[in-house]
Amino acid sequence: ETGVTQTPRHLVMGMTNKKSLKCEQHLGHNAMYWYKQSAKKPLELMFVYNFKEQTENNSVPSRFSPECPNSSHLFLHLHTLQPEDSALYLCASSHLQGNEKLFFGSGTQLSVL
Amino acid sequence: LAKTTQPISMDSYEGQEVNITCSHNNIATNDYITWYQQFPSQGPRFIIQGYKTKVTNEVASLFIPADRKSSTLSLPRVSLSDTAVYYCLVGDETGTASKLTFGTGTRLQVTL
């Protein structure tokens, strides 16, 4: 148990669906992250939030929409996804943004049909 | 960005000591070195972090030479459950998260 909880654990959706991924951390951290990991590929940083403010967006398509209502919760809203978006989506948190220890959730395995 | 290079894969027998080396030739003065472990379908897990010389915890040891252009993660007496991908990251505490780039990592396979 890392203190970072992601739901759902698995998700199957069609290309016209709208769904949301949820992440919650119980560590009192101030920075939260979304990563994407496709099969056989390195983790790709998608978004970074620091004290609820988005500080990084690594050229992520607009069909992915993050939301950070407070320092403990992070959402990733999905709409009109493509099959190539199928991947493991990982949430992480750290005390502060930067070279801090990252604590990851178990991820959401997403399949887009 | 301080780029890192690691072997793609390594094999070991249970009970052996495993050393995984990471090269980071253009590491900056303020950069720390951090290692993570990842099992299939799970998020990476922090193992150890260091700046110079040697760091040891209950899981592993991290050896960093004086020039800091490389580092070696040492896993004592590995077991089957140590089969995982190991990542080396380099970055400083004032940098952006983008500096914390996960490469392809080293896939360690432990067998009997």
Side-chain angles (χ1 to χ4, degrees), chain A residues 9-78:
Chain A
R9 192 74 175 86
H10 301 274
L11 179 63
V12 179
M13 59 186 290
M15 289 189 283
T16 59
N17 291 156
K18 289 185 180 180
K19 296 287 184 183
S20 295
L21 309 184
K22 179 182 176 182
C23 176
E24 183 175 0
Q25 56 97 358
H26 309 277
L27 301 168
H29 289 167
N30 299 300
M32 296 189 77
Y33 313 76
W34 279 117
Y35 283 86
K36 173 186 177 182
Q37 188 173 33
S38 303
K40 310 286 186 183
K41 288 187 177 181
L43 280 80
E44 303 171 47
L45 179 65
M46 300 175 72
F47 301 103
V48 181
Y49 279 80
N50 199 33
F51 291 94
K52 302 188 298 178
E53 298 297 321
Q54 186 179 122
T55 55
E56 293 191 46
N57 175 341
N58 283 350
S59 304
V60 180
S62 59
R63 57 186 184 270
F64 295 92
S65 175
E67 178 189 1
C68 188
N70 54 61
S71 293
S72 299
H73 294 84
L74 185 64
F75 295 90
L76 187 62
H77 303 299
L78 316 171

Side-chain angles (χ1 to χ4, degrees), chain A residues 73-109:
Chain A
H73 294 84
L74 185 64
F75 295 90
L76 187 62
H77 303 299
L78 316 171
H79 63 97
T80 59
L81 293 192
Q82 305 298 312
E84 59 265 28
D85 296 322
S86 298
L88 180 67
Y89 288 85
L90 291 159
C91 173
S93 71
S94 64
H95 177 53
L96 293 172
Q97 179 179 305
N99 187 33
E100 296 283 337
K101 298 176 190 177
L102 293 171
F103 291 77
F104 284 85
S106 297
T108 295
Q109 188 65 55

Side-chain angles (χ1 to χ4, degrees), chain A residues 6 9 35-38 40-44 88-91 104-109, chain B residues 20 35-47 73 75 81-89 102-108:
Chain A
Q6 288 188 245
R9 192 74 175 86
Y35 283 86
K36 173 186 177 182
Q37 188 173 33
S38 303
K40 310 286 186 183
K41 288 187 177 181
L43 280 80
E44 303 171 47
L88 180 67
Y89 288 85
L90 291 159
C91 173
F104 284 85
S106 297
T108 295
Q109 188 65 55
Chain B
I20 305 174
W35 285 81
Y36 290 84
Q37 173 193 56
Q38 186 179 25
F39 297 113
S41 299
Q42 292 186 29
R45 181 176 74 101
F46 172 89
I47 300 177
L73 175 72
L75 306 172
S81 62
D82 292 315
T83 294
V85 179
Y86 293 82
Y87 298 95
C88 161
L89 277 74
F102 285 82
T104 53
T106 298
R107 187 172 300 275
L108 173 65

Side-chain angles (χ1 to χ4, degrees), chain B residues 2 17 22 31 45:
Chain B
E17 177 184 80
C22 178
D31 284 346
R45 181 176 74 101

